[in-house]
Amino acid sequence: MKFGMFTVPISIEYAEGRETAKEVIDWDLQQAEWADQAGIDEMYFAEHYTLGHEPSPSPDAMIAAASQRTENIKLGAMAHLLPYHNPVSLAFRSMWLDHMTGGRYIAGFAPGAYASDAQLFGTGKNNARMLSEGLDIVDAIWTRKGPFTIDGEFYKVDMPAYDEAIAGPHLTPLQSPRPTVLMTGMSPNSGTLAEAGRRGFSPVSQQVKTDILKTHWDTFANAATSAGHTPDRSEWRVVRDFFVADTDAEAREIALSSGLARLWEGYLLPSFKKLGLFPFLVGDTPEEKVDIEYLVDNFFFVGSPETVAEKVRALYNELGGFGYLCFSGGPYQDAIPAYKRHLELSSGKLRELLSDLDGNN
């Protein structure tokens, strides 16, 4: 079992004017350092433009900065919103990140979920088609030698042949034939995960209940097999928040009083309700019964390493296996020693307790 940390970031303090953008950036980079020192396997940065609670317009900049302060942790985008980029430029920037990180870069792509971002960029209802066409272009630039042309609905590419006079085009990814590519899904039978399967990319399931997670794997695996790829559960990343402390009581107290609670009570639960995603999280449980205590006791994995390992193993067995468990980085500024201990226990004792799990049940 490997562990990934997903930092959007989400900052209620920034949205309400009590934290600066620099403070948001510095906290995420500090988390990257601690996660690297503790031995967490991966860390992902998101991309949004118009959301005050999710100030993160440049995951590539965050990856570049974090790469200079870390040594081993892999650094990824979750995700580059491809409709808001020229895919030629994004393909070259991502190749440069691959070299800058020494091959620790993970690519992630998504269409963009928020109407306000789409309004800003004027993409209308075209995001899904722009994503698909943009992925074709990015992958071609990563893996094909020129010359070639692509004349799409939204983008055009005219890759020149190699010219000795300019010693180029010259750039290819450091990882061969390409970096790991992630695509995320949340809804049942996610179309994005089907796209990931068709392209031979890796699936990421956002925080949803177990029966939806099962549809995610089936959708991904069926699409991958139909396209001639071999689906590998060890590359399936499942997002489910967890918090580990030395004892169950300590873990529960921290989860109910610090970063995890503020993250969910202050922003995520209201967002799930507003977006109509609540059933994805808790099924038919009445909304009025779902608070942070309910989530800590019934959805998240909170407790000692032994308790969390038992809960992770139960989900693993029910799903038939997965390779990565991913959790949210968050506003733990008032509980830094406990947060650092959580990272250490996750990468240490918890990993040891789950060492027999290879991704495929």
Side-chain angles (χ1 to χ4, degrees):
M1 183 63 61
K2 296 181 179 180
F3 299 106
M5 187 166 81
F6 183 26
T7 173
V8 173
I10 292 175
S11 177
I12 298 168
E13 298 295 308
Y14 174 83
E16 296 180 355
R18 296 188 298 273
E19 191 172 54
T20 67
K22 181 66 161 55
E23 288 171 325
V24 173
I25 293 165
D26 287 346
W27 175 245
D28 266 11
L29 294 177
Q30 178 62 79
Q31 290 185 83
E33 282 191 34
W34 289 337
D36 183 53
Q37 293 163 3
I40 299 299
D41 297 284
E42 299 178 347
M43 184 173 183
Y44 324 104
F45 300 93
E47 179 178 321
H48 302 295
Y49 292 89
T50 58
L51 309 181
H53 291 89
E54 302 183 33
S56 52
S58 184
D60 44 354
M62 294 301 295
I63 291 167
S67 75
Q68 304 305 293
R69 297 172 59 163
T70 59
E71 295 181 359
N72 299 304
I73 193 169
K74 293 185 177 181
L75 302 165
M78 190 88 85
H80 300 296
L81 303 184
L82 225 167
Y84 308 142
H85 297 269
N86 181 305
V88 178
S89 175
L90 183 58
F92 274 84
R93 293 202 311 275
S94 63
M95 287 191 289
W96 208 234
L97 281 174
D98 198 23
H99 288 271
M100 181 182 292
T101 61
R104 291 187 285 141
Y105 169 67
I106 300 172
F109 299 103
Y114 291 94
S116 53
D117 282 352
Q119 177 182 338
L120 176 66
F121 283 88
T123 55
K125 304 291 185 181
N126 298 320
N127 282 39
R129 301 205 317 280
M130 295 175 76
L131 172 66
S132 182
E133 186 176 305
L135 285 173
D136 290 340
I137 291 171
V138 170
D139 206 36
I141 290 172
W142 283 350
T143 60
R144 291 173 58 182
K145 293 183 178 180
F148 64 84
T149 60
I150 299 174
D151 189 3
E153 179 182 2
F154 303 102
Y155 311 109
K156 299 183 187 302
V157 180
D158 188 359
M159 177 66 77
Y162 180 82
D163 184 343
E164 289 186 0
I166 61 172
H170 60 89
L171 194 58
T172 59
L174 177 61
Q175 300 174 74
S176 180
R178 64 173 70 81
T180 295
V181 180
L182 309 179
M183 296 185 75
T184 65
M186 175 174 277
S187 60
N189 306 304
S190 166
T192 305
L193 294 184
E195 181 85 354
R198 285 192 292 270
R199 292 179 178 273
F201 297 163
S202 297
V204 181
S205 293
Q206 295 287 4
Q207 307 213 55
V208 291
K209 59 196 183 85
T210 304
D211 59 342
I212 295 179
L213 291 176
K214 292 178 180 178
T215 74
H216 284 181
W217 179 256
D218 290 343
T219 298
F220 169 81
N222 290 337
T225 301
S226 296
H229 304 296
T230 301
D232 181 358
R233 285 181 177 270
S234 68
E235 286 297 309
W236 185 16
R237 290 157 174 83
V238 173
V239 182
R240 179 70 64 93
D241 272 332
F242 66 94
F243 194 89
V244 190
D246 289 291
T247 67
D248 289 348
E250 182 186 1
R252 191 173 190 274
E253 178 184 356
I254 295 166
L256 291 175
S257 64
S258 60
L260 192 65
R262 288 199 300 277
L263 188 69
W264 280 88
E265 286 187 324
Y267 182 64
L268 289 178
L269 274 177
S271 295
F272 268 77
K273 293 177 182 179
K274 181 179 179 180
L275 296 171
L277 300 175
F278 217 72
F280 293 179
L281 189 68
V282 295
D284 57 4
T285 303
E287 289 186 10
E288 62 271 15
K289 291 187 176 181
V290 179
D291 56 14
I292 187 62
E293 286 197 55
Y294 177 93
L295 293 173
V296 165
D297 294 336
N298 297 281
F299 187 69
F300 302 151
F301 301 149
V302 174
S304 67
E306 292 78 10
T307 296
V308 173
E310 182 179 350
K311 294 179 178 181
V312 173
R313 189 177 296 275
L315 178 64
Y316 180 96
N317 289 335
E318 189 168 359
L319 294 179
F322 57 92
Y324 292 75
L325 183 66
C326 306
F327 63 96
S328 300
Y332 288 97
Q333 288 93 329
D334 62 347
I336 288 174
Y339 185 45
K340 293 175 71 175
R341 182 63 174 157
H342 155 70
L343 297 174
E344 293 165 359
L345 288 171
S346 297
S347 188
K349 184 62 175 178
L350 180 60
R351 190 193 302 273
E352 178 186 336
L353 291 167
L354 299 171
S355 61
D356 59 308
L357 306 183
D358 66 357
N360 294 283
N361 192 13

